[in-house]
Amino acid sequence: LQGYASEMDNPNLVHLIPSALQNKKEILFGNLPEIYEFHNRQIFLKEIENCIENPELLARCFLKRKEDLQIYEKYCQNKPRSEALWRQCGDSIFFQECQRKLDHKLSLDAYLLKPVQRITKYQLLLKAIFFSFFFFNQEMLKCSKNSEGTAELEEALATMLDIIKSVNDSMHQIAITGYEGDVSELGKLLMQGSFNVWTDHKKGHNKVKDLARFKPMQRHLFLYTKMLLFCKKREENTDGHEKSASYSFKNSLKMSTVGITENVKGDNKKFEIWYNGREEVYIIQASSVELKNTWISEIRKVLT
């Protein structure tokens, strides 16, 4: 914040700022100042340190700060816009000069990832406490299975997992390529995942009942409040080592114009999404009935 964000207001460096970055500081940094202020007060840190002797009370700290921790979700929801802007301007002389003055080995994008990494560590901390509490207090839990400490830990862990789901979804969203619009205008990202998909068009020569004879397409779906995106997952080697996933945009459906059929005869893991009076039909096969039901539930919420 001091070495980059503040420098964007430095009159001596204004001429180095790319035109695409003008008046877009809030997009690049998101609500990072808000995250900084939250931790700079050290209230949360002190609350956690007070649990050293009684780690089972840690959950109360997270539950007490549940609303405060939503700042991370807000940050991650902005991350795709920030990433897109960084791809445009990250190699500019302005950022190179800032990095040189700071004597940082890593560029700004590495630091903009820190909040995402932090929230993941919180989840790991709670999991460690939860399982330690569970395994080393089994006799107590047998007598009081729904003890207050266990319930609070479960609730705290669920809270962090919800935030991490938002983080994870945002990271996948960043990797969408080929979509000409702005994904930030599609509403909140509710769900994302890979499916087998069959398609049928009234004008075509195939009927829906014949689709099972044909090989399905592998598609990664992104469900927003306003749109459903169909993408093709691609994996590329990064520096010759780990594979990095990207999602090539293929098709989209406006949620305000779609219908859903929850059950497809012959397979309880399939459901239909249809468009324009069934002129276009998409049969979607989930990896499990549970996953199918979760998606149907989220789609129903959007449609109502």
Side-chain angles (χ1 to χ4, degrees):
L1 288 173
Q2 294 174 351
Y4 288 97
S6 296
E7 290 292 79
M8 290 180 70
D9 299 321
N10 185 341
N12 296 322
L13 295 177
V14 168
H15 67 287
L16 297 179
I17 299 177
S19 58
L21 191 60
Q22 296 288 343
N23 302 315
K24 292 182 179 178
K25 187 199 306 188
E26 290 75 17
I27 294 177
L28 183 63
F29 293 93
N31 64 324
L32 195 60
E34 189 179 9
I35 293 176
Y36 170 76
E37 285 302 322
F38 171 63
H39 289 289
N40 192 43
R41 289 176 293 171
Q42 296 195 341
I43 297 172
F44 188 45
L45 174 62
K46 291 175 182 177
E47 290 174 345
I48 292 175
E49 288 176 339
N50 289 336
C51 296
I52 290 175
E53 298 300 324
N54 299 288
E56 67 273 12
L57 300 179
L58 185 68
R60 294 182 184 178
C61 297
F62 282 88
L63 292 176
K64 182 180 178 181
R65 299 295 169 186
K66 181 178 179 178
E67 291 187 8
D68 291 322
L69 291 170
Q70 296 299 318
I71 55 178
Y72 282 97
E73 188 170 354
K74 182 179 176 182
Y75 182 83
C76 292
Q77 287 171 354
N78 177 70
K79 201 71 170 67
R81 301 173 69 202
S82 174
E83 289 278 347
L85 189 57
W86 174 257
R87 285 195 293 269
Q88 278 184 282
C89 312
D91 59 352
S92 69
I93 297 174
F94 170 75
F95 288 119
Q96 292 175 14
E97 179 62 16
C98 290
Q99 185 176 348
R100 184 193 66 77
K101 289 170 67 175
L102 291 165
D103 194 27
H104 283 176
K105 292 182 180 180
L106 300 175
S107 55
L108 174 62
D109 59 323
Y111 295 97
L112 292 177
L113 190 62
K114 292 294 182 181
V116 179
Q117 295 170 331
R118 181 191 288 268
I119 205 68
T120 305
K121 289 179 180 178
Y122 283 153
Q123 173 236 358
L124 294 175
L125 172 63
L126 282 170
K127 275 188 174 179
I129 297 295
F130 178 80
F131 287 115
S132 295
F133 186 62
F134 182 83
F135 286 112
F136 291 106
N137 296 278
Q138 289 187 59
E139 291 304 315
M140 182 186 73
L141 290 175
K142 285 178 182 178
C143 300
S144 180
K145 188 175 181 180
N146 295 317
S147 64
E148 184 179 356
T150 306
E152 286 182 336
L153 276 169
E154 287 178 335
E155 187 180 351
L157 185 57
T159 297
M160 298 310 300
L161 289 174
D162 284 343
I163 296 175
I164 287 171
K165 177 185 177 299
S166 176
V167 173
N168 183 54
D169 289 347
S170 297
M171 294 301 99
H172 284 276
Q173 181 179 231
I174 290 169
I176 296 175
T177 62
Y179 180 70
E180 294 183 357
D182 185 348
V183 294
S184 66
E185 297 178 355
L186 302 182
K188 183 178 180 181
L189 176 59
L190 303 173
M191 300 285 289
Q192 57 81 27
S194 295
F195 297 86
N196 290 327
V197 178
W198 292 262
T199 62
D200 180 62
H201 301 270
K202 277 187 177 180
K203 296 179 181 179
H205 63 279
N206 298 325
K207 296 181 179 179
V208 174
K209 64 181 180 180
D210 297 324
L211 291 177
R213 301 177 186 177
F214 299 90
K215 186 177 179 180
M217 296 178 292
Q218 302 296 315
R219 290 290 181 263
H220 201 91
L221 274 55
F222 292 85
L223 175 64
Y224 295 87
T225 52
K226 297 180 181 179
M227 195 87 74
L228 177 65
L229 300 187
F230 291 80
C231 300
K232 184 174 182 179
K233 185 177 181 180
R234 303 181 186 279
E235 291 186 341
E236 300 175 356
N237 288 329
T238 304
D239 299 327
H241 298 291
E242 295 182 4
K243 288 187 176 181
S244 176
S246 65
Y247 304 96
S248 178
F249 171 74
K250 293 298 181 182
N251 192 23
S252 64
L253 299 176
K254 289 183 179 179
M255 293 306 296
S256 60
T257 59
V258 304
I260 184 172
T261 304
E262 297 187 11
N263 297 299
V264 175
K265 188 177 180 180
D267 192 333
N268 60 2
K269 292 184 292 186
K270 289 181 180 178
F271 62 99
E272 287 181 354
I273 291 179
W274 40 271
Y275 180 69
N276 197 22
R278 294 187 69 86
E279 185 171 309
E280 295 179 25
V281 178
Y282 297 82
I283 293 184
I284 300 169
Q285 183 185 53
S287 57
S288 68
V289 175
E290 181 181 8
L291 180 61
K292 167 196 163 182
N293 292 336
T294 300
W295 271 73
I296 288 175
S297 176
E298 289 297 324
I299 292 172
R300 285 292 185 198
K301 290 178 185 177
V302 175
L303 298 182
T304 56

